Amino acid sequence: MNCKEFEKNIPDFIAGKLDFQTLQEFGEHMRECPGCKEELVIQFLVTEGMQRLEDGDAFDLQRELELRLAEAKRKVRFHMAFLKTGAALEVLTVIFLMGFLGWIIS
């Protein structure tokens, strides 16, 4: 993901609408690009801050952004673990089927 794509995806990240692949690329780019991370912080503070001011709510936006980033990281880790488990099950299934076919043939 490049900086332009990252900035385009910031509103969807804030709204929690990024799919797994985009969320993974978004997180990787943010870790590698301090400028984009700063842009995310600014847009988050403006977007959420304005909404909170309109609602009259008290808020700690920096903490809330940290929580959202941690949640996004957890979702990516969970999804990756799910994919790895699925791949392992596929390998075990193939091994089982090969053994079963070998047993039938012999």
Side-chain angles (χ1 to χ4, degrees):
M1 176 174 291
N2 62 37
C3 294
K4 188 171 184 139
E5 292 170 329
F6 182 90
E7 289 182 21
K8 185 182 125 215
N9 284 306
I10 289 175
D12 286 339
F13 173 80
I14 292 171
K17 296 180 181 179
L18 293 181
D19 60 70
F20 164 73
Q21 183 67 36
T22 307
L23 184 60
Q24 184 179 22
E25 292 172 10
F26 188 88
E28 289 171 3
H29 183 82
M30 184 193 62
R31 284 186 292 278
E32 297 170 0
C33 183
C36 284
K37 183 172 184 178
E38 184 176 334
E39 182 63 27
L40 170 62
V41 169
I42 291 168
Q43 285 194 38
F44 182 81
L45 293 175
V46 169
T47 302
E48 291 297 312
M50 293 301 291
Q51 184 63 45
R52 300 295 166 78
L53 287 172
E54 289 175 9
D55 295 343
D57 293 338
F59 50 90
D60 179 358
L61 293 176
Q62 186 64 36
R63 175 78 176 128
E64 190 170 326
L65 177 58
E66 290 170 5
L67 290 172
R68 286 197 194 184
L69 290 171
E71 177 64 17
K73 188 175 183 179
R74 187 195 65 75
K75 284 181 183 179
V76 168
R77 277 196 321 261
F78 176 78
H79 193 83
M80 290 304 293
F82 185 75
L83 289 176
K84 288 177 182 177
T85 302
L89 289 174
E90 287 178 16
V91 169
L92 289 173
T93 301
V94 168
I95 291 170
F96 172 77
L97 289 175
M98 289 175 64
F100 184 70
L101 288 174
W103 178 74
I104 289 177
I105 292 174
S106 60

